[in-house]
Each structure stands twice: as C-alpha cells, then as structure tokens.
Amino acid sequence: MKLNKKIIAVIFTLVAVVSARLVTNASVIYKDINSISIRTNFNFDFESIQDEGLPDITYNSEGNTSDMVYVYPTAKYEIESCEWYSQGNSEFEIGGAPKVVVYLITKDYETPNSSNNDYYYRFLSSYSSSTCYISKGAFVSATRLSTSNLKVVFQLQGLKGTFNPPDSAYWEDDRGTARWDSPNVNDSGYYDLILYRDSTTIARVDKYKGNSYNFSGYFVKEGDYSFKVRTVSGTDNQATYGKNSEYVESGSINVDATTISMIAQGTNASNNNSGLTNVGWIQMNNTWYYYRPDGTVTKSDWVAWNGKWYYLDELGRMKVGILNVNNRIYYLGSDGAMATGWVNLNDTYYYFDTTNGTNYGAMVANSWIKYDNKYFYFDEKGIMVTGWKQISDSSGNIGTYYFYPKGTTEGLYGYMAANTTIDGFRLGADGKWITR
C-alpha cells in the first residue's frame, strides 16, 4: 500500500516531536561516593632513596597487590594517575615521610528503571581521615576537582635507615677538647661519646648535641686518653625509624701530672713551672671538684668543709638539690651545702635531721618532730602534714589527729592540735580524737 506524501510528512513530524521530548526529558542522576579506600604497597628505605632516588609509582584499579598503589575492582571509581607530591628525587631525612598524590575518576552505572537518564557516581565536596582510608599511610587532604575527579594526597610511613657515623674524631688540643665532624648526609645531630684511659672506660655522654666536648674534668690521672663517638637518635621520631651508627675512634693523647695540674688551674703549662698540685675545691667548666692532698679527686663520698657537708658524685662533681645516698634523702643547697632542719621547697615544708649520728641531714619521713614545744608530723614522702591524719604508733594502734593548715594560725602552722575541738570533734591532750 502506498502512503500519501502528506501522511508520510505527518509521521516524520510526530517522530521528531517524540524524539525531542525524549531528549528534553532525559537527565543525569548522581549517586554520592561516601567513602574512599586506597591501598599501598611501598617497600623502600632511606638508603635506597639516597642511592637510586624515588622510584616511579606503579598503580592499578584491579586490586593487584604487586603495585605500589591500587584500589579494588568493585570500587565506584578508578585510579587515573599517581605521582610523588614532592616531585622528582627529593632527599628525605630518616623518619621523613614522602607524600603521594592520587587522582581518582568516577565510573558510571546502569539501572533498569529508566533508559532516558544518565547515571553516574559522584565525589563529595570533602573527605576526612575517617572517610578516606589509606592503608600503610596517613591521609593529608582530598580536593574535588569536579564531580567525577578527586585529588587525594597521603603521607607514607617514616623512612627507616641507619645514621652515618661522624666523618672523623680527634683531639683539638691536649687539654681535653674532643671534636668530630658530622656526616655530610644521614645525620641526626646527636651523638654518644665514650672516654677511655688506657683502654678503660672513664665516662659516657649520651645524646649530646654538638660537635665538640670538653673532657678535661675527667683528666685526673696520668695515662693515654682516647674517645669514641657515634651518631644516634635524639628525638622520638628519629628513635622510631633510625638506627645508631658505628663508633668512630680518635687517636690517643698522653696526659701527665703537669697537664692535669694546669687543666685544674686553668693555665697553660708553659707559664707555670711551680710543680704544685691542686688541693681543696677546684672549679672546672662551672663544676666544682674536691682534690685531696695526694692529688686524687673525691668521688662518691661526703666532704666536711668549714663546718658544712658536701657530696661528690661518682665523677667527682659536687651535687646540688635532692640527693639519695644509701636510701636516705638529703637536700643540698645551691652552694652544695647539706641542709638541716626546716626546708621549704615549692611551698611545701620538709624537715632534715639535726641530730648527730647516721641520720644527720637525712629527710624525716613517717615521723614526729617536736619544734618550739609543738608537734609536727611528716608523711611517707617527707611532707609536713596538715589537716586530719590517721597515724599508727609503734604498737600498731591508730590515732586520728589534726594539724593546723596554713592560714588557720598566726605565723607557724602545721603543728598538732590538742585539748580543743575541731569541726565538732574533741581532741585530747595527746592530740588524738576522743571517740567516746
């Protein structure tokens, strides 16, 4: 059957109208991507980067774990590209963490509901560490470049490696100044030192920051002195990722009696030929030492001088502040003199034994003290008690006492209340709370 030309024209017009309506009614439907998951598999250390530089990043969107960066194939997005955030073969310190940039692109999806709409996944405007998971790495930022493009920056774990040893170690002079040169690369800036006399260890210095150290305070006997130095971690981050270097050993210098005397006096051997040895207190490098008449330094012992007691530690250095000797606690003032009687530290009162004997100068703890015809009590930490306190006597009987706090009395405070009523509770002549 032949169709009339007018009928054919009408049919084409109707088809055009319907097609136009279909195009007009079609729209884009988005489904949000609420979380991101990126997996990493980097395997290199500080030394390999120093030797070879940062490697090219391999990546895939099929879940292949052999590549450095990958996502699982069930993801609603895929990796478009990856690169180093810091660009090129940048050098990193031990503990440093390189950054990586990953560019993601969304995928479309199909739905049986309508064939007229276009369906796409869409990135959110922002992500955080809780919605963007990075395996073996730390989330830094996520920037939406468009609804279908996302830029993710993350940081790898710190680089592990071994610090380089100092380039050299030597004596700057014969007066005890040790010096070393830092390694050009892979340096922490911190060093361990060991001082030897005739191959015997004399002193150790740990995590020292600097490139020279004055050992003159340890030159108290004749002999051949040498030292070792190594590079070590000085910060928590360095300790987590860095290993100590090997030691570098200096040559030795011979220290004789004349040199020891000159060091102690702070003069040059060339301008002093008296040959006299030092006796009594000698200050070196802001530290006081006590020399006996035979030329030896007092160590790990007390010294009585001008009616006061001083303590010298295992290296012969005069101590100040709190001191524990044979499980007895002492307090040495800023001048090193041992304190006795009352001592106020940070607005807290302590009492140090004033009676001659083995406990002279030791801190009083768990004990009563009678002072100015008043009784005071000091707890297990040696602190003067105020307020209510239960105290056991030598027989194990427990009594409850009250000691006047600061501000409740004029002048002296902290002493035991007796023959009075406190907070409604009666106290006897012995200070105990009367329970009946």
Side-chain angles (χ1 to χ4, degrees):
M1 182 179 65
K2 294 183 179 181
L3 296 175
N4 187 288
K5 290 182 178 180
K6 290 184 178 180
I7 296 175
I8 293 174
V10 170
I11 292 174
F12 275 110
T13 301
L14 290 173
V15 170
V17 171
V18 172
S19 298
R21 287 182 177 178
L22 289 174
V23 173
T24 302
N25 293 334
S27 61
V28 177
I29 306 299
Y30 290 108
K31 181 179 287 187
D32 290 337
I33 298 174
N34 295 312
S35 62
I36 303 294
S37 180
I38 299 174
R39 308 283 169 162
T40 69
N41 186 30
F42 288 90
N43 186 21
F44 53 78
D45 55 21
F46 182 86
E47 282 78 8
S48 66
I49 289 180
Q50 288 293 308
D51 296 337
E52 305 171 8
L54 291 169
D56 293 334
I57 299 177
T58 60
Y59 60 91
N60 71 84
S61 300
E62 289 76 42
N64 188 343
T65 59
S66 62
D67 283 332
M68 297 178 184
V69 180
Y70 61 95
V71 294
Y72 287 121
T74 56
K76 304 165 185 178
Y77 46 85
E78 59 187 359
I79 299 175
E80 187 175 32
S81 64
C82 277
E83 62 187 42
W84 293 108
Y85 183 81
S86 53
Q87 301 296 328
N89 296 330
S90 300
E91 293 183 354
F92 294 89
E93 297 180 353
I94 287 177
K99 293 179 182 178
V100 176
V101 180
V102 178
Y103 292 94
L104 301 176
I105 186 170
T106 61
K107 295 180 178 180
D108 58 359
Y109 66 96
E110 297 180 357
T111 177
N113 296 333
S114 174
S115 60
N116 294 330
N117 298 324
D118 294 324
Y119 294 87
Y120 294 99
Y121 285 104
R122 176 175 61 183
F123 290 119
L124 300 179
S125 59
S126 65
Y127 293 90
S128 64
S129 58
S130 61
T131 55
C132 188
Y133 170 75
I134 311 293
S135 70
K136 300 180 182 178
F139 173 83
V140 175
S141 66
T143 304
R144 188 173 73 172
L145 305 178
S146 69
T147 56
S148 59
N149 295 94
L150 185 70
K151 174 185 176 182
V152 178
V153 180
F154 62 88
Q155 184 171 277
L156 300 180
Q157 295 176 340
L159 296 171
K160 294 184 178 181
T162 302
F163 296 114
N164 284 338
D167 286 342
S168 60
Y170 52 94
W171 292 106
E172 186 176 86
D173 50 43
D174 62 352
R175 309 297 293 277
T177 303
R179 186 171 290 278
W180 57 96
D181 296 326
S182 301
N184 292 327
V185 295
N186 209 359
D187 179 33
S188 69
Y190 295 86
Y191 308 92
D192 281 351
L193 301 165
I194 303 178
L195 177 66
Y196 299 91
R197 182 181 64 239
D198 298 329
S199 301
T200 299
T201 300
I202 301 302
R204 292 179 179 270
V205 180
D206 296 329
K207 294 185 179 180
Y208 177 76
K209 189 174 179 64
N211 291 93
S212 66
Y213 190 86
N214 193 331
F215 280 116
S216 62
Y218 300 95
F219 286 8
V220 294
K221 282 188 178 181
E222 295 181 303
D224 292 324
Y225 287 79
S226 63
F227 72 93
K228 287 182 178 180
V229 58
R230 67 177 178 180
T231 312
V232 299
S233 59
T235 65
D236 291 341
N237 187 61
Q238 290 175 345
T240 300
Y241 299 102
K243 294 182 180 179
N244 298 336
S245 77
E246 296 180 350
Y247 277 102
V248 175
E249 187 171 3
S250 73
S252 63
I253 56 173
N254 181 265
V255 177
D256 56 20
T258 301
T259 302
I260 293 173
S261 178
M262 295 308 102
I263 290 173
Q265 296 180 55
T267 60
N268 295 319
S270 60
N271 61 21
N272 190 318
N273 297 312
S274 65
L276 296 176
T277 59
N278 297 291
V279 177
W281 292 106
I282 301 296
Q283 187 180 35
M284 293 181 288
N285 299 324
N286 297 319
T287 300
W288 286 97
Y289 300 81
Y290 191 83
Y291 280 74
R292 299 187 180 97
D294 62 359
T296 60
V297 178
T298 302
K299 297 181 180 180
S300 301
D301 201 1
W302 291 94
V303 168
W305 187 74
N306 279 355
K308 296 182 180 180
W309 287 92
Y310 302 79
Y311 190 82
L312 293 306
D313 68 10
E314 69 276 7
L315 298 178
R317 301 170 299 191
M318 184 189 76
K319 300 294 290 182
V320 298
I322 297 295
L323 174 71
N324 187 329
V325 178
N326 297 327
N327 294 323
R328 293 185 177 92
I329 306 300
Y330 302 85
Y331 181 75
L332 310 176
S334 58
D335 62 351
M338 182 186 75
T340 58
W342 293 96
V343 173
N344 186 336
L345 300 176
N346 298 322
D347 205 29
T348 299
Y349 278 98
Y350 301 80
Y351 193 88
F352 294 84
D353 202 313
T354 59
T355 58
N356 292 325
T358 56
N359 289 324
Y360 180 64
M363 185 179 72
V364 173
N366 289 324
S367 297
W368 293 88
I369 290 294
K370 184 178 181 180
Y371 177 80
D372 196 23
N373 289 322
K374 295 179 174 60
Y375 289 90
F376 302 79
Y377 190 81
F378 297 84
D379 66 14
E380 66 277 5
K381 295 182 179 180
I383 299 174
M384 182 186 73
V385 172
T386 59
W388 292 99
K389 177 72 174 177
Q390 288 188 324
I391 302 173
S392 299
D393 60 20
S394 58
S395 300
N397 299 317
I398 298 176
T400 302
Y401 302 81
Y402 184 83
F403 301 86
Y404 290 106
K406 184 178 182 179
T408 60
T409 59
E410 293 184 4
L412 194 66
Y413 68 94
Y415 56 88
M416 182 190 74
N419 286 325
T420 188
T421 299
I422 302 293
D423 296 332
F425 300 96
R426 290 192 303 124
L427 303 174
D430 60 356
K432 289 184 180 180
W433 168 39
I434 300 174
T435 59
R436 295 184 181 180

